[in-house]
Every structure is written in C-alpha cells, then in structure tokens.
Amino acid sequence: MSERITRGDVEHVARLARLELTDEEIDLFTGQLGDILEHAADIEALDVGDIAPTSHPLPIVNVLRPDELVPSLDRDEVLDQAPLAESGQFRVPPVLGEEP
C-alpha cells in the first residue's frame, strides 16, 4: 500500500457512521488505522502459495470417551435427593408461573 490513510478519510468515515470525534480522536484513529493498513499490506505481500490453508493455528483434538454401555445412577437414589419428585420423575416448577 503506497498511501497512508489521511485525516480527511477518517473524518469522512466518521461522518458516514454519524460519529462525533474530537480532533485528538481523529489524529489517534488516523495513526492507528494507518498502522493497521500497513500491517495488512505487509501480510498481503507474503508469499503463502506453498502453505496449506488451516482453520486453526493449533491442532484440535476432540476428547471423546468410548461409546460403551456403563451402569447409570440408581433412579430411586437420585430422586430421593431431589426437592420434589412425583411418579418416578423430577417435579419442577411450571414455566408459565403456576405454583407446583
């Protein structure tokens, strides 16, 4: 990129976005946006033709357990610890505001 972003560019974008910026903010954002665009240009200039595309910089491995049948918790023991149980099920407050 041969041109840096100008103060006028920042003022124009701020006006389009209906942002009221102070002179100090315009100066700050002009410098920051210019640095960002220069960095983007540096990255764009890299030769990445031999690099395979990736979706994540680190290898991602799912942590899964084997799909094996194992004994579950005892139903009566679990229901005994619930605040309310009825007919072998948890009783919960109604969603629509009625008292249980």
Side-chain angles (χ1 to χ4, degrees), residues 34-75:
D35 291 344
I36 291 169
L37 292 175
E38 281 185 20
H39 186 66
D42 290 344
I43 292 173
E44 190 174 279
L46 295 174
D47 180 15
V48 293
D50 295 335
I51 299 174
T54 59
S55 62
H56 197 275
L58 301 174
I60 298 174
V61 178
N62 284 334
V63 179
L64 301 173
R65 65 176 172 78
D67 188 18
E68 299 173 350
L69 185 62
V70 295
S72 63
L73 300 172
D74 180 69
R75 176 187 225 173

Side-chain angles (χ1 to χ4, degrees), residues 8-63:
D9 295 332
V10 173
E11 290 173 335
H12 178 70
V13 171
R15 190 171 38 257
L16 293 174
R18 298 183 181 179
L19 297 174
E20 293 183 22
L21 301 178
T22 64
D23 287 340
E24 293 81 21
E25 289 172 327
I26 292 171
D27 291 337
L28 175 68
F29 297 148
T30 300
Q32 289 177 342
L33 290 170
D35 291 344
I36 291 169
L37 292 175
E38 281 185 20
H39 186 66
D42 290 344
I43 292 173
E44 190 174 279
L46 295 174
D47 180 15
V48 293
D50 295 335
I51 299 174
T54 59
S55 62
H56 197 275
L58 301 174
I60 298 174
V61 178
N62 284 334
V63 179

Side-chain angles (χ1 to χ4, degrees), residues 74-86 88-92:
D74 180 69
R75 176 187 225 173
D76 292 330
E77 185 179 334
V78 172
L79 289 173
D80 285 344
Q81 298 178 32
L84 292 173
E86 182 178 302
Q89 300 175 342
F90 292 108
R91 179 160 176 120
V92 295

